[in-house]
Amino acid sequence: MVDDTDPRDIHTPVMLERCMELLAPALWADRPVLVDATLGLGGHTEAFLQRFPSLTVVALDRDAEAIALATQRLSAFGDRLKVVHTVYDGITDAVASAGYSTVDAVLFDLGVSSLQLDRVERGFSYSKDAPLDMRMDATSELTAQTVVAEYGEDDLRRIFLDYGEEKLAARYARAIVRARGQEPITRSAQLVAVIQDATPAAVQRAGHPAKRVFQALRIEVNHELDVLERAIPRAVDLLRVGGRIAVMSFQSLEDRIVKRALAAKAASTAPAGLPVELPEHRPELKLLTRGAELADEAERARNPRSIPVRLRAAERIRGDS
């Protein structure tokens, strides 16, 4: 059956104009190449292809459903769009497979997509009952149900604490192990009930108690932070001198990784006390944003999913020595 969903109806690109403003100086080159490392439903890619008539986009995504919808949406651009089904730490091989050794710009729009959130059956939302899945790539083996059913109490506590920054991680891990001993936990509503029962009333008034647990499970299932740790340096290495990278993060754990990765490349590596900085010690990047930029008030009001975004960008100013 053909999916006649129009991606424009379920996705509004976040901080689109600001991303364009930051990357544009690198994209007025002759026949420029942009890597959209997180294609999603194609909103950012569509806008860039429209704005820059000679641009080619190498678009990556791990979600086959998103690729199908975005490819249909962007079909009018023909061979100016090259789509690769891969996780974004596969950026080096993806660019090579498209026929390039360097690129002019890279864009990352991290986190869970509108499609994944809005497709109830994908199991990403704690507010709607669905099978505990949470896979961004439906061909991968690990699901949230497997994590909840098979991980030991210590491992559950670790991921809730490390990936969800959940203060009640130990309490929730213990409650899940106890509950699954009575019956399998296979659906999101079951897991939410277990978490709510284990949450003190005062804490429940501060927000939905399952939010951080679901975030942690999603990150574990999709190895999001490990992938990001590898992806940012690889993306920087692909940039030509004068090329630019922009990264939008939607939670603090992602933003910290991006901040560290860009800051490391923007710092001199000269040993302390060296009288002259040698060329190979000079910074590779120049930061283009002061800290992390937020969506403006108008966008936050118009598109609530832009509220948590943190945008960082940098320009490559030195190539390999």
Side-chain angles (χ1 to χ4, degrees):
M1 185 176 71
V2 176
D3 190 338
D4 59 358
T5 301
D6 187 338
R8 297 172 186 84
D9 294 337
I10 58 176
H11 173 63
T12 302
V14 172
M15 294 190 76
L16 175 59
E17 289 302 321
R18 182 54 176 151
C19 288
M20 282 194 166
E21 181 182 6
L22 288 165
L23 297 182
L27 295 177
W28 291 118
D30 182 41
R31 298 169 67 183
V33 177
L34 164 70
V35 179
D36 184 344
T38 46
L39 173 63
L41 291 173
H44 287 95
T45 283
E46 181 178 51
F48 274 94
L49 287 168
Q50 290 171 340
R51 182 76 60 90
F52 301 95
S54 63
L55 177 68
T56 295
V57 174
V58 180
L60 284 51
D61 209 290
R62 68 171 87 188
D63 188 330
E65 184 182 8
I67 286 176
L69 287 169
T71 301
Q72 181 180 3
R73 172 183 190 170
L74 303 170
S75 59
F77 296 102
D79 61 6
R80 292 176 59 204
L81 175 69
K82 302 180 186 300
V83 179
V84 183
H85 182 205
T86 187
V87 185
Y88 43 77
D89 64 344
I91 187 171
T92 306
D93 289 341
V95 167
S97 73
Y100 304 101
S101 57
T102 62
V103 301
D104 299 280
V106 180
L107 175 66
F108 285 87
D109 180 6
L110 302 173
V112 64
S113 74
S114 297
L115 174 66
Q116 291 157 352
L117 283 172
D118 292 342
R119 289 285 201 260
V120 173
E121 68 274 12
R122 302 290 292 271
F124 285 94
S125 175
Y126 51 80
S127 62
K128 299 173 183 175
D129 185 34
L132 277 172
D133 192 320
M134 300 194 194
R135 291 174 296 173
M136 293 178 174
D137 181 350
T139 66
S140 61
E141 294 184 4
L142 185 63
T143 67
Q145 181 179 330
T146 301
V147 174
V148 169
E150 298 181 4
Y151 277 32
E153 183 176 332
D154 289 345
D155 284 333
L156 289 172
R157 181 175 66 247
R158 172 185 56 79
I159 67 168
F160 297 161
L161 187 61
D162 292 350
Y163 298 160
E165 299 180 295
E166 175 53 66
K167 295 178 180 178
L168 298 178
R171 180 191 289 254
Y172 291 153
R174 188 163 54 248
I176 288 170
V177 171
R178 186 186 311 118
R180 76 188 187 193
Q182 299 172 359
E183 66 173 338
I185 302 173
T186 62
R187 301 189 64 85
S188 55
Q190 289 177 276
L191 180 58
V192 167
V194 171
I195 293 168
Q196 287 178 324
D197 288 346
T199 304
V203 176
Q204 293 204 31
R205 289 193 290 271
H208 201 295
K211 179 178 180 179
R212 293 180 183 274
V213 169
F214 272 61
Q215 173 182 299
L217 289 171
R218 191 198 81 217
I219 290 172
E220 173 70 12
V221 166
N222 297 289
H223 310 293
E224 291 175 52
L225 301 186
D226 293 338
V227 167
L228 184 59
E229 292 268 14
R230 296 188 291 267
I232 300 299
R234 291 175 186 176
V236 171
D237 288 344
L238 284 169
L239 292 173
R240 64 167 174 83
V241 174
R244 293 186 168 203
I245 181 172
V247 186
M248 287 179 285
S249 306
F250 285 76
Q251 41 99 345
S252 60
L253 297 172
E254 292 172 340
D255 184 53
R256 277 180 226 151
I257 291 172
V258 175
K259 177 182 178 180
R260 286 197 302 264
L262 296 184
K265 296 279 190 178
S268 170
T269 60
L274 197 69
V276 177
E277 183 182 51
L278 300 174
E280 60 267 29
H281 293 309
R282 291 173 184 161
E284 291 183 52
L285 295 179
K286 176 179 70 175
L287 302 180
L288 299 173
T289 53
R290 296 188 63 179
E293 293 188 4
L294 310 178
D296 61 32
E297 290 186 9
E299 180 170 4
R300 290 156 72 95
R302 182 175 66 252
N303 181 14
R305 287 183 180 171
S306 70
I307 292 173
V309 72
R310 302 290 183 271
L311 171 63
R312 297 181 187 270
E315 177 182 354
R316 188 162 193 183
I317 57 174
R318 178 174 71 82
D320 294 330
S321 302

